[in-house]
Amino acid sequence: MIDNQQYEVVHGPGLIFINENLFADETETTNVMWLEFIDWTEGIFGKNSIEFEQIQVDKSIWDNTEFSGKLGEKYFTQPDFAEYPIVGISLKQAELYSKWRTDRVAEILLISKGLIKSEFTYSKDNYFTIEKYINGDYDWIISKENILIPEYILPNKNEWELIAGLGSNHPNGIDSTLRENKKTMKIYNYLYNTAEFHSGTKTKNKKNRCGDATCEVNALGANIYGLYGILGNVSELTSNNGISKGGNWKSRFADNQIEKDLPFDSVNAWTGFRNIARQRLLKVK
């Protein structure tokens, strides 16, 4: 109930319910999700645009790791890595993606409600955004009404710790007795992709869902909310500048504690992100 009116709550694709108005992505943002962002931006603005240039990943990040020459462009473009976490991106780029994703989900929602046209001529001056719908007078607008949409954002430090399971009765927010986690332990002998996961005999158990560094985003353990890879694999950006959380494939297990902050000074091969979402009421003018 908002402003004494009842609105339909739309959870949005990929989201898991956490509490009253907090949802979180089931997995970290993947390479294929980022490629969709790049392809859409190229189609609207062109390859020579600022909009296109500013969202390119830094493919040189692997050059400063033990995988120099082995990983690189193929990590971001080959189908085998489609469901691996995006890395090599900045906080600003993650924020741009979150805004773009919010607009695209809102666009689909408004089309389904018959509020905007499903087909019209897209151009750099004529494409859907929430702001254009609220404030503009475009030929693709059929009608305007107040509506709830999921707004995708980066979590702040406290929100990240909440979705990670801080304060639960389970260490690190993981219930190792869950069937899915028992299955993961049987296959990999480990629930987290950390430095320990890549040492000793565990490497022979990685099957095809884990590479030399990262794993597919849903390959390992899920926490009490059903969020995969919240610890390990790649650290996750927060909206608190310079702070990432959750440990990564490069760090030791001790760095995977929920409350531990990890510095994020520059783009690298071990930091990605996960969106959370809150319901936002679009109030039309």
Side-chain angles (χ1 to χ4, degrees), residues 15-81:
L15 294 174
I16 299 292
F17 175 79
I18 305 297
N19 64 27
E20 182 179 358
N21 189 23
L22 177 62
F23 303 81
D25 270 339
E26 184 177 30
T27 70
E28 293 156 336
T29 303
T30 64
N31 285 324
V32 71
M33 293 165 72
W34 195 266
L35 285 174
E36 290 173 356
F37 180 32
I38 288 178
D39 288 345
W40 184 94
T41 303
E42 179 185 354
I44 297 295
F45 299 101
K47 277 191 173 182
N48 296 323
S49 65
I50 294 174
E51 289 84 358
F52 183 77
E53 288 296 326
Q54 69 184 355
I55 63 172
Q56 298 305 303
V57 298
D58 184 351
K59 297 174 183 176
S60 70
I61 53 169
W62 296 107
D63 295 345
N64 298 319
T65 72
E66 59 266 45
F67 308 115
S68 176
K70 190 172 185 180
L71 296 174
E73 177 149 353
K74 74 174 185 178
Y75 180 84
F76 301 102
T77 58
Q78 287 193 1
D80 287 348
F81 291 98

Side-chain angles (χ1 to χ4, degrees), residues 175-230:
D175 183 356
S176 59
T177 65
L178 292 177
R179 185 176 66 174
E180 187 67 23
N181 287 339
K182 285 183 176 180
K183 180 181 177 182
T184 300
M185 284 294 292
K186 184 177 180 179
I187 296 174
Y188 298 103
N189 197 33
Y190 218 71
L191 282 177
Y192 314 99
N193 177 16
T194 62
E196 292 91 339
F197 180 72
H198 291 277
S199 63
T201 58
K202 295 185 180 66
T203 55
K204 71 182 181 182
N205 297 322
K206 290 192 295 182
K207 307 288 184 180
N208 295 321
R209 301 191 67 196
C210 286
D212 295 303
T214 59
C215 296
E216 288 185 3
V217 291
N218 62 351
L220 298 180
N223 76 351
I224 56 172
Y225 295 116
L227 308 184
Y228 288 91
I230 196 79

